Amino acid sequence: MESAREASGPDPCPGPGPGGRPQPQPSAVCLIVLGMAGSGKTTLVQRLTGHLHSKGAPPYLINLDPAVHEIPFPANIDIRDTVNYKEVMKQYGLGPNGGIVTALNLFATRFDQVMKFIEKRQQDCRFVLIDTPGQIEVFTWSASGTIITEALASTFSTVVVYVMDTSRSTNPVTFMSNMLYACSILYKTRLPFIVVMNKIDIVDHCFAVEWMKDFETFQDALNQETTFASNLTRSMSLVLDEFYSKLRVVGVSAVDGSGMDGFLQQVADAAAEYETEYRPHYERLRQDLAEAEMKKREEQLEQLRRDMGDVAMDSSHIHASVDAEGDVEPGPSALILTRGIADEHDEEVDSDTDDLDHHKAEEQSEEPAFRRYLEQRKCRNHTAARLRRVEPGFQAKRSNPD
């Protein structure tokens, strides 16, 4: 068991440290599996899932291919449960590739929920395996693929796994095409990168490793090609020397499982590289985004204050206008300014209704204008009653003034 853990890198379920103190739980390692159609991405995910289960470290599985009919592994999150690929094609009048892109775009709008699920399970699942669509350009060069990749990389240790069909790369021109595509993905994602040469049970990958290490050997293989593409490949091979020098390469077989321990060791090295070199970059990026969001909110608040400056009045001005005119037409600005603001003459009343003087409470809650209206009316009624008592013919005079 110890040898298996050493071969697979860090222990997925670390126990107590020295002195019986528990070690801090590491964050999950997300493996984004990319590759050309037919390179064996889904089969590799299946084999890797079984290998991790055998080591007691079951992974968290995510399927992002909406067009696949069946998947050979139990996915924890499946895009097909959220988006109906055929319905998207029918509703928007799209073809197969357009339907996949649209389905991914719709799924990316809910990817924050996927992040929450991963965060909840990262203590139990050390690895998160993400299987992407068969058409590599659909995920790599789409907005949804960028959103998903950056969302994962901003929170978890993320490694890009590029699966390459070794049996179809024996031709130097095809091999160079794969390497150019891998190079473009590396510089686009800016994440730790592993090239997995699959199907070594058919053709051993030693020839490809030798081509990457020895420029002369690759040139000798190219000399046997007389096509126009071979001349372009010969020129491009000089450019990729630096790319080869820092590239992680491992050969595996998704059919018989050979090379899986070496692959997990490469994953452990790539995750360590992420923590030291890539995570600070994403933390700075997250901080910059937070500062930009805060600045945007402050600008919006300042704009709102400027917009309200023409109609805003302080509470003292409102009360003065009420005292002077006796009544104010309640416009929109008055509703905004006075809603929820207690009058300065109002007092808090005890909630005990047994000792409550209702008459006094009503007088305290009346507006000044309404109180003056009541006083004026009482004065008029009192004056009229006094005149009736003083002059008996008062009513007759009012009815017949002539």
Side-chain angles (χ1 to χ4, degrees), residues 205-227:
H205 69 293
C206 293
F207 75 93
V209 175
E210 187 177 1
W211 283 353
M212 296 170 64
K213 292 182 178 180
D214 191 352
F215 176 77
E216 297 296 334
T217 304
F218 185 68
Q219 291 297 318
D220 294 340
L222 275 177
N223 291 333
Q224 301 177 7
E225 300 287 336
T226 58
T227 61

PDB file of all heavy atoms in Angstrom, residues 205-227:
ATOM      1  N   HIS A 205       5.772   4.616 -27.599  1.00  0.00           N
ATOM      2  CA  HIS A 205       5.941   6.052 -27.790  1.00  0.00           C
ATOM      3  C   HIS A 205       7.398   6.494 -27.757  1.00  0.00           C
ATOM      4  O   HIS A 205       7.669   7.702 -27.792  1.00  0.00           O
ATOM      5  CB  HIS A 205       5.163   6.803 -26.708  1.00  0.00           C
ATOM      6  CG  HIS A 205       5.751   6.647 -25.340  1.00  0.00           C
ATOM      7  ND1 HIS A 205       5.764   5.445 -24.649  1.00  0.00           N
ATOM      8  CD2 HIS A 205       6.370   7.555 -24.529  1.00  0.00           C
ATOM      9  CE1 HIS A 205       6.347   5.607 -23.493  1.00  0.00           C
ATOM     10  NE2 HIS A 205       6.723   6.875 -23.387  1.00  0.00           N
ATOM     11  N   CYS A 206       8.319   5.563 -27.716  1.00  0.00           N
ATOM     12  CA  CYS A 206       9.733   5.940 -27.628  1.00  0.00           C
ATOM     13  C   CYS A 206      10.191   6.749 -28.839  1.00  0.00           C
ATOM     14  O   CYS A 206      11.026   7.654 -28.704  1.00  0.00           O
ATOM     15  CB  CYS A 206      10.600   4.688 -27.481  1.00  0.00           C
ATOM     16  SG  CYS A 206      10.350   3.813 -25.911  1.00  0.00           S
ATOM     17  N   PHE A 207       9.651   6.453 -30.016  1.00  0.00           N
ATOM     18  CA  PHE A 207      10.064   7.184 -31.224  1.00  0.00           C
ATOM     19  C   PHE A 207       9.684   8.669 -31.091  1.00  0.00           C
ATOM     20  O   PHE A 207      10.435   9.559 -31.524  1.00  0.00           O
ATOM     21  CB  PHE A 207       9.418   6.568 -32.464  1.00  0.00           C
ATOM     22  CG  PHE A 207       7.958   6.879 -32.622  1.00  0.00           C
ATOM     23  CD1 PHE A 207       7.537   7.970 -33.379  1.00  0.00           C
ATOM     24  CD2 PHE A 207       6.989   6.100 -32.006  1.00  0.00           C
ATOM     25  CE1 PHE A 207       6.194   8.259 -33.523  1.00  0.00           C
ATOM     26  CE2 PHE A 207       5.648   6.387 -32.148  1.00  0.00           C
ATOM     27  CZ  PHE A 207       5.237   7.475 -32.904  1.00  0.00           C
ATOM     28  N   ALA A 208       8.512   8.952 -30.513  1.00  0.00           N
ATOM     29  CA  ALA A 208       8.080  10.342 -30.365  1.00  0.00           C
ATOM     30  C   ALA A 208       8.944  11.074 -29.352  1.00  0.00           C
ATOM     31  O   ALA A 208       9.307  12.245 -29.552  1.00  0.00           O
ATOM     32  CB  ALA A 208       6.610  10.386 -29.948  1.00  0.00           C
ATOM     33  N   VAL A 209       9.297  10.400 -28.268  1.00  0.00           N
ATOM     34  CA  VAL A 209      10.162  11.026 -27.269  1.00  0.00           C
ATOM     35  C   VAL A 209      11.533  11.317 -27.867  1.00  0.00           C
ATOM     36  O   VAL A 209      12.131  12.378 -27.610  1.00  0.00           O
ATOM     37  CB  VAL A 209      10.278  10.115 -26.032  1.00  0.00           C
ATOM     38  CG1 VAL A 209      11.260  10.692 -25.026  1.00  0.00           C
ATOM     39  CG2 VAL A 209       8.911   9.912 -25.381  1.00  0.00           C
ATOM     40  N   GLU A 210      12.012  10.418 -28.687  1.00  0.00           N
ATOM     41  CA  GLU A 210      13.311  10.641 -29.327  1.00  0.00           C
ATOM     42  C   GLU A 210      13.248  11.805 -30.299  1.00  0.00           C
ATOM     43  O   GLU A 210      14.199  12.602 -30.387  1.00  0.00           O
ATOM     44  CB  GLU A 210      13.748   9.367 -30.053  1.00  0.00           C
ATOM     45  CG  GLU A 210      15.163   9.444 -30.614  1.00  0.00           C
ATOM     46  CD  GLU A 210      15.591   8.137 -31.274  1.00  0.00           C
ATOM     47  OE1 GLU A 210      14.762   7.189 -31.303  1.00  0.00           O
ATOM     48  OE2 GLU A 210      16.741   8.073 -31.753  1.00  0.00           O
ATOM     49  N   TRP A 211      12.154  11.929 -31.043  1.00  0.00           N
ATOM     50  CA  TRP A 211      11.992  13.068 -31.950  1.00  0.00           C
ATOM     51  C   TRP A 211      11.991  14.389 -31.181  1.00  0.00           C
ATOM     52  O   TRP A 211      12.483  15.400 -31.668  1.00  0.00           O
ATOM     53  CB  TRP A 211      10.674  12.942 -32.726  1.00  0.00           C
ATOM     54  CG  TRP A 211      10.744  11.938 -33.836  1.00  0.00           C
ATOM     55  CD1 TRP A 211      11.845  11.267 -34.277  1.00  0.00           C
ATOM     56  CD2 TRP A 211       9.652  11.485 -34.643  1.00  0.00           C
ATOM     57  NE1 TRP A 211      11.523  10.419 -35.307  1.00  0.00           N
ATOM     58  CE2 TRP A 211      10.175  10.539 -35.558  1.00  0.00           C
ATOM     59  CE3 TRP A 211       8.295  11.760 -34.685  1.00  0.00           C
ATOM     60  CZ2 TRP A 211       9.386   9.894 -36.514  1.00  0.00           C
ATOM     61  CZ3 TRP A 211       7.504  11.130 -35.634  1.00  0.00           C
ATOM     62  CH2 TRP A 211       8.044  10.198 -36.538  1.00  0.00           C
ATOM     63  N   MET A 212      11.417  14.387 -29.990  1.00  0.00           N
ATOM     64  CA  MET A 212      11.358  15.614 -29.211  1.00  0.00           C
ATOM     65  C   MET A 212      12.708  15.976 -28.612  1.00  0.00           C
ATOM     66  O   MET A 212      13.012  17.166 -28.438  1.00  0.00           O
ATOM     67  CB  MET A 212      10.314  15.458 -28.091  1.00  0.00           C
ATOM     68  CG  MET A 212       8.898  15.271 -28.603  1.00  0.00           C
ATOM     69  SD  MET A 212       7.730  14.811 -27.312  1.00  0.00           S
ATOM     70  CE  MET A 212       7.770  16.254 -26.278  1.00  0.00           C
ATOM     71  N   LYS A 213      13.523  14.979 -28.309  1.00  0.00           N
ATOM     72  CA  LYS A 213      14.809  15.240 -27.680  1.00  0.00           C
ATOM     73  C   LYS A 213      15.934  15.458 -28.686  1.00  0.00           C
ATOM     74  O   LYS A 213      16.864  16.221 -28.422  1.00  0.00           O
ATOM     75  CB  LYS A 213      15.188  14.076 -26.753  1.00  0.00           C
ATOM     76  CG  LYS A 213      14.280  13.961 -25.530  1.00  0.00           C
ATOM     77  CD  LYS A 213      14.731  12.816 -24.640  1.00  0.00           C
ATOM     78  CE  LYS A 213      13.882  12.712 -23.390  1.00  0.00           C
ATOM     79  NZ  LYS A 213      14.321  11.587 -22.516  1.00  0.00           N
ATOM     80  N   ASP A 214      15.869  14.789 -29.828  1.00  0.00           N
ATOM     81  CA  ASP A 214      16.950  14.840 -30.817  1.00  0.00           C
ATOM     82  C   ASP A 214      16.419  15.460 -32.105  1.00  0.00           C
ATOM     83  O   ASP A 214      15.606  14.862 -32.818  1.00  0.00           O
ATOM     84  CB  ASP A 214      17.491  13.434 -31.078  1.00  0.00           C
ATOM     85  CG  ASP A 214      18.779  13.452 -31.888  1.00  0.00           C
ATOM     86  OD1 ASP A 214      19.166  14.531 -32.382  1.00  0.00           O
ATOM     87  OD2 ASP A 214      19.397  12.382 -32.036  1.00  0.00           O
ATOM     88  N   PHE A 215      16.855  16.661 -32.377  1.00  0.00           N
ATOM     89  CA  PHE A 215      16.395  17.361 -33.570  1.00  0.00           C
ATOM     90  C   PHE A 215      16.850  16.667 -34.849  1.00  0.00           C
ATOM     91  O   PHE A 215      16.102  16.611 -35.837  1.00  0.00           O
ATOM     92  CB  PHE A 215      16.918  18.811 -33.537  1.00  0.00           C
ATOM     93  CG  PHE A 215      16.592  19.595 -34.766  1.00  0.00           C
ATOM     94  CD1 PHE A 215      15.309  20.096 -34.964  1.00  0.00           C
ATOM     95  CD2 PHE A 215      17.562  19.853 -35.735  1.00  0.00           C
ATOM     96  CE1 PHE A 215      15.006  20.827 -36.101  1.00  0.00           C
ATOM     97  CE2 PHE A 215      17.270  20.581 -36.867  1.00  0.00           C
ATOM     98  CZ  PHE A 215      15.988  21.080 -37.049  1.00  0.00           C
ATOM     99  N   GLU A 216      18.057  16.116 -34.858  1.00  0.00           N
ATOM    100  CA  GLU A 216      18.590  15.475 -36.060  1.00  0.00           C
ATOM    101  C   GLU A 216      17.772  14.227 -36.424  1.00  0.00           C
ATOM    102  O   GLU A 216      17.528  13.957 -37.604  1.00  0.00           O
ATOM    103  CB  GLU A 216      20.062  15.110 -35.844  1.00  0.00           C
ATOM    104  CG  GLU A 216      20.978  16.307 -35.623  1.00  0.00           C
ATOM    105  CD  GLU A 216      21.032  17.220 -36.844  1.00  0.00           C
ATOM    106  OE1 GLU A 216      20.799  16.719 -37.961  1.00  0.00           O
ATOM    107  OE2 GLU A 216      21.316  18.421 -36.673  1.00  0.00           O
ATOM    108  N   THR A 217      17.371  13.482 -35.411  1.00  0.00           N
ATOM    109  CA  THR A 217      16.569  12.289 -35.683  1.00  0.00           C
ATOM    110  C   THR A 217      15.239  12.660 -36.334  1.00  0.00           C
ATOM    111  O   THR A 217      14.781  12.000 -37.275  1.00  0.00           O
ATOM    112  CB  THR A 217      16.314  11.519 -34.378  1.00  0.00           C
ATOM    113  OG1 THR A 217      17.564  11.201 -33.760  1.00  0.00           O
ATOM    114  CG2 THR A 217      15.535  10.239 -34.649  1.00  0.00           C
ATOM    115  N   PHE A 218      14.630  13.744 -35.865  1.00  0.00           N
ATOM    116  CA  PHE A 218      13.367  14.187 -36.471  1.00  0.00           C
ATOM    117  C   PHE A 218      13.595  14.690 -37.893  1.00  0.00           C
ATOM    118  O   PHE A 218      12.765  14.466 -38.793  1.00  0.00           O
ATOM    119  CB  PHE A 218      12.750  15.280 -35.602  1.00  0.00           C
ATOM    120  CG  PHE A 218      11.404  15.730 -36.065  1.00  0.00           C
ATOM    121  CD1 PHE A 218      10.300  14.892 -35.987  1.00  0.00           C
ATOM    122  CD2 PHE A 218      11.216  16.995 -36.595  1.00  0.00           C
ATOM    123  CE1 PHE A 218       9.046  15.289 -36.421  1.00  0.00           C
ATOM    124  CE2 PHE A 218       9.979  17.412 -37.022  1.00  0.00           C
ATOM    125  CZ  PHE A 218       8.881  16.557 -36.937  1.00  0.00           C
ATOM    126  N   GLN A 219      14.706  15.346 -38.130  1.00  0.00           N
ATOM    127  CA  GLN A 219      15.006  15.809 -39.483  1.00  0.00           C
ATOM    128  C   GLN A 219      15.221  14.636 -40.440  1.00  0.00           C
ATOM    129  O   GLN A 219      14.804  14.678 -41.601  1.00  0.00           O
ATOM    130  CB  GLN A 219      16.252  16.703 -39.455  1.00  0.00           C
ATOM    131  CG  GLN A 219      16.048  18.043 -38.769  1.00  0.00           C
ATOM    132  CD  GLN A 219      15.024  18.913 -39.478  1.00  0.00           C
ATOM    133  OE1 GLN A 219      15.002  18.996 -40.711  1.00  0.00           O
ATOM    134  NE2 GLN A 219      14.165  19.561 -38.702  1.00  0.00           N
ATOM    135  N   ASP A 220      15.852  13.587 -39.951  1.00  0.00           N
ATOM    136  CA  ASP A 220      16.032  12.405 -40.794  1.00  0.00           C
ATOM    137  C   ASP A 220      14.693  11.787 -41.175  1.00  0.00           C
ATOM    138  O   ASP A 220      14.506  11.328 -42.310  1.00  0.00           O
ATOM    139  CB  ASP A 220      16.908  11.370 -40.074  1.00  0.00           C
ATOM    140  CG  ASP A 220      18.333  11.859 -39.883  1.00  0.00           C
ATOM    141  OD1 ASP A 220      18.732  12.786 -40.618  1.00  0.00           O
ATOM    142  OD2 ASP A 220      19.020  11.338 -38.975  1.00  0.00           O
ATOM    143  N   ALA A 221      13.762  11.776 -40.237  1.00  0.00           N
ATOM    144  CA  ALA A 221      12.424  11.254 -40.553  1.00  0.00           C
ATOM    145  C   ALA A 221      11.708  12.162 -41.538  1.00  0.00           C
ATOM    146  O   ALA A 221      10.969  11.696 -42.406  1.00  0.00           O
ATOM    147  CB  ALA A 221      11.621  11.096 -39.268  1.00  0.00           C
ATOM    148  N   LEU A 222      11.937  13.469 -41.430  1.00  0.00           N
ATOM    149  CA  LEU A 222      11.285  14.402 -42.342  1.00  0.00           C
ATOM    150  C   LEU A 222      11.869  14.322 -43.745  1.00  0.00           C
ATOM    151  O   LEU A 222      11.168  14.608 -44.737  1.00  0.00           O
ATOM    152  CB  LEU A 222      11.430  15.831 -41.813  1.00  0.00           C
ATOM    153  CG  LEU A 222      10.391  16.310 -40.789  1.00  0.00           C
ATOM    154  CD1 LEU A 222      10.725  17.710 -40.329  1.00  0.00           C
ATOM    155  CD2 LEU A 222       9.000  16.294 -41.415  1.00  0.00           C
ATOM    156  N   ASN A 223      13.131  13.953 -43.873  1.00  0.00           N
ATOM    157  CA  ASN A 223      13.753  13.876 -45.194  1.00  0.00           C
ATOM    158  C   ASN A 223      13.097  12.831 -46.087  1.00  0.00           C
ATOM    159  O   ASN A 223      13.220  12.882 -47.322  1.00  0.00           O
ATOM    160  CB  ASN A 223      15.250  13.576 -45.050  1.00  0.00           C
ATOM    161  CG  ASN A 223      16.006  14.763 -44.458  1.00  0.00           C
ATOM    162  OD1 ASN A 223      15.589  15.909 -44.599  1.00  0.00           O
ATOM    163  ND2 ASN A 223      17.129  14.467 -43.798  1.00  0.00           N
ATOM    164  N   GLN A 224      12.418  11.893 -45.470  1.00  0.00           N
ATOM    165  CA  GLN A 224      11.724  10.880 -46.261  1.00  0.00           C
ATOM    166  C   GLN A 224      10.390  11.393 -46.817  1.00  0.00           C
ATOM    167  O   GLN A 224       9.775  10.740 -47.640  1.00  0.00           O
ATOM    168  CB  GLN A 224      11.483   9.639 -45.401  1.00  0.00           C
ATOM    169  CG  GLN A 224      12.771   9.026 -44.852  1.00  0.00           C
ATOM    170  CD  GLN A 224      12.492   7.845 -43.938  1.00  0.00           C
ATOM    171  OE1 GLN A 224      11.355   7.399 -43.813  1.00  0.00           O
ATOM    172  NE2 GLN A 224      13.550   7.325 -43.308  1.00  0.00           N
ATOM    173  N   GLU A 225       9.970  12.562 -46.323  1.00  0.00           N
ATOM    174  CA  GLU A 225       8.737  13.170 -46.814  1.00  0.00           C
ATOM    175  C   GLU A 225       9.092  14.235 -47.847  1.00  0.00           C
ATOM    176  O   GLU A 225       9.992  15.046 -47.634  1.00  0.00           O
ATOM    177  CB  GLU A 225       7.950  13.801 -45.664  1.00  0.00           C
ATOM    178  CG  GLU A 225       7.539  12.817 -44.583  1.00  0.00           C
ATOM    179  CD  GLU A 225       6.416  11.909 -45.054  1.00  0.00           C
ATOM    180  OE1 GLU A 225       5.670  12.311 -45.973  1.00  0.00           O
ATOM    181  OE2 GLU A 225       6.275  10.803 -44.508  1.00  0.00           O
ATOM    182  N   THR A 226       8.378  14.243 -48.959  1.00  0.00           N
ATOM    183  CA  THR A 226       8.659  15.203 -50.037  1.00  0.00           C
ATOM    184  C   THR A 226       7.492  16.148 -50.286  1.00  0.00           C
ATOM    185  O   THR A 226       7.472  16.850 -51.299  1.00  0.00           O
ATOM    186  CB  THR A 226       8.985  14.447 -51.338  1.00  0.00           C
ATOM    187  OG1 THR A 226       7.876  13.596 -51.676  1.00  0.00           O
ATOM    188  CG2 THR A 226      10.248  13.621 -51.185  1.00  0.00           C
ATOM    189  N   THR A 227       6.536  16.188 -49.405  1.00  0.00           N
ATOM    190  CA  THR A 227       5.374  17.045 -49.600  1.00  0.00           C
ATOM    191  C   THR A 227       5.691  18.475 -49.167  1.00  0.00           C
ATOM    192  O   THR A 227       6.716  18.753 -48.521  1.00  0.00           O
ATOM    193  CB  THR A 227       4.174  16.515 -48.792  1.00  0.00           C
ATOM    194  OG1 THR A 227       4.522  16.518 -47.405  1.00  0.00           O
ATOM    195  CG2 THR A 227       3.828  15.094 -49.227  1.00  0.00           C
TER     196      THR A 227
END
